[in-house]
Amino acid sequence: MKFDNPEIPEGINTRGEHPLREFFWLLLAVLVTTAIIAAIVGYSAGWIAKRIPYRVEQQMAQRFFESEPTPSEIGDYLQHLADRLAPAEGLPDDMSITVHYIDDDDDVVNAFATLGGHLHFYRGLLARLPSEDALAMVIAHEIAHVKHRHPIMALGRGVTLVAAVAALSGVSGGVVADRVTDLAALTNLSFSRAQEREADVTALRALVRTYGNAAGAVALFELFAELEQDRRMPTILLTHPHSKDRSREMRERAAAQGWPTGGNTTPLPKWLTEAVARTESVQ
Amino acid sequence: MEILLQNNYLVVFVVLMLIGYFVGRAKERRHYQSIFEREEELRRVLAFSSKGPPPSMAVELTTLVVGDVVISVDYFKKFVAGLRNLVGGPMMAYETLLDRARREALLRMKAKAHDLGADMIFNVKLETASFGNRAGGGVKAIEVYAYGTAVKTKGVN
């Protein structure tokens, strides 16, 4: 009996298509789908989170995050300013604002609002503000976040996106889920920037109503633009729009509404500037 | 530059993908070259799936021969497979992997048979196993195991 073992032609059990082509099309399909789903999920999660009653938000804050603010003269001063600005911004009476002043030596330049109307201000920021108007703009901006329920919306979006990506990682494995998380985070950042712009607009109105002009806002964003001079990141990667864009938007809006951008500003009280200064030079 | 430093996990990912792609492709090409050469050398060793030689055949030697190979998946293939898991369709990345592994296992089995002086292998079977393959990890490596009964027919040196 004669047997034969001929050479079998290649390409029967494997395809000829270049692996990079497959990679490119698959990646494109997945990224586009992710961007769309992240936008839809982000939007709807924010919409639902906004409808959680403020009382519930405050209870959450109490349980998980906040303690009573440490009493201080600066803290009282900030709280007083906040209580003046809140009604000017149209914050409902049943939504309370609690101000925390953080007196640290690390020279952190930051201020933020979290759940339940808790605002935090760092010494480093206060040490650099040129006037009470500018400080009022910062406070009004944070109050605006509270008024628009941005903290709880951001939390709802974040939690929902994490859950969605976790479901994905069960199917595709961790590596793909990591990249999808990155893209979802990028989408989240654009929501964050929109929130910052909305807060700026609301705060500007309150500032003008309280001080008669928008000089404080102009000075504030000029300061920020100076502080971020050496960080030239593309807007798509930022949580806030570029300060010069925010500054421009403020001036345009003031012009549109007929609000003066120049004029007298109220200086910060002397005891405050002395209290927030440190012996090292402030950059 | 700052963007790269801030997103260094992304840089790591890209580097791993590039290594996986270029090194993986090169290794695969070299492996196939080796496979073609050895398939030519061992063309005379015949493999059958039937259980034994036909009764008319005079047989001198029968012994078990085994060929075993474990090949790991590179980073690039794993990522593409993850995307495929979402979208569905043929996993081209793994097709070449399994093709290589099957042929390699068969060649190793044939080489053992040839060393014994056998020219035929009967009852050839293949078994495949995958390592990893847990949710969230993806397949890490695959093993193909080929075994059969090597037979030396009388009259062959």
Side-chain angles (χ1 to χ4, degrees), chain A residues 190-224:
Chain A
S190 81
F191 281 111
S192 170
R193 286 192 296 275
Q195 285 185 336
E196 293 303 323
R197 278 196 293 273
E198 196 182 11
D200 282 344
V201 168
T202 308
L204 183 67
R205 182 179 297 272
L207 182 79
V208 173
R209 199 170 286 168
T210 312
Y211 289 88
N213 61 47
V218 172
L220 182 73
F221 290 117
E222 271 172 18
L223 170 71
F224 285 169

Side-chain angles (χ1 to χ4, degrees), chain B residues 82-101:
Chain B
L83 294 176
R84 266 290 171 211
N85 269 326
L86 265 183
V87 174
M91 277 203 188
M92 282 168 33
Y94 284 177
E95 279 175 4
T96 51
L97 190 72
L98 280 167
D99 183 51
R100 281 160 61 199

Side-chain angles (χ1 to χ4, degrees), chain B residues 56-108:
Chain B
S56 55
M57 199 176 273
V59 149
E60 227 176 69
L61 158 86
T62 59
T63 181
L64 173 73
V65 284
V66 160
D68 190 13
V69 65
V70 181
I71 309 187
S72 85
V73 186
D74 60 63
Y75 198 85
F76 179 78
K77 275 205 209 290
K78 233 196 294 187
F79 184 76
V80 174
L83 294 176
R84 266 290 171 211
N85 269 326
L86 265 183
V87 174
M91 277 203 188
M92 282 168 33
Y94 284 177
E95 279 175 4
T96 51
L97 190 72
L98 280 167
D99 183 51
R100 281 160 61 199
R102 273 194 300 267
R103 289 161 84 164
E104 179 69 35
L106 283 169
L107 279 171
R108 291 185 184 183

Side-chain angles (χ1 to χ4, degrees), chain A residues 1 3-8 10 13-20 22-23 26-27 29-30 168-176 179-180 182 230-234 237, chain B residues 2-3 6-7 9-10 13 17 21 25 32 36 40 43 45-46 48 54 57 75-76 79-80 82-87 90 92-93 95-96 99 103 110 120 135-136:
Chain A
M1 213 171 192
F3 298 102
D4 209 5
N5 188 14
E7 199 173 327
I8 310 288
E10 293 299 318
N13 288 321
T14 61
R15 283 148 198 271
E17 193 180 334
H18 201 272
L20 280 183
E22 184 195 23
F23 170 67
L26 279 180
L27 192 67
V30 170
L168 180 71
S169 125
V171 169
S172 282
V175 181
V176 172
R179 302 288 80 81
V180 167
D182 294 341
D230 47 347
R231 291 197 314 135
R232 264 166 277 112
M233 299 248 280
L237 294 177
Chain B
E2 193 182 299
I3 308 170
Q6 287 215 348
N7 299 301
Y9 54 93
L10 252 183
F13 168 73
M17 287 289 274
Y21 179 72
R25 263 352 98 244
Y32 266 120
F36 297 151
E40 204 48 52
R43 197 160 288 288
V45 180
L46 305 173
F48 297 90
M57 199 176 273
Y75 198 85
F76 179 78
F79 184 76
V80 174
L83 294 176
R84 266 290 171 211
N85 269 326
L86 265 183
V87 174
M92 282 168 33
E95 279 175 4
T96 51
D99 183 51
R103 289 161 84 164
K110 284 190 180 181
M120 291 186 186

Side-chain angles (χ1 to χ4, degrees), chain A residues 41 154-169 177 180-181 184-185 188:
Chain A
V41 166
L155 186 67
R157 270 203 299 272
V159 162
T160 314
L161 278 173
V162 164
V165 172
L168 180 71
S169 125
V180 167
T181 309
N188 224 9

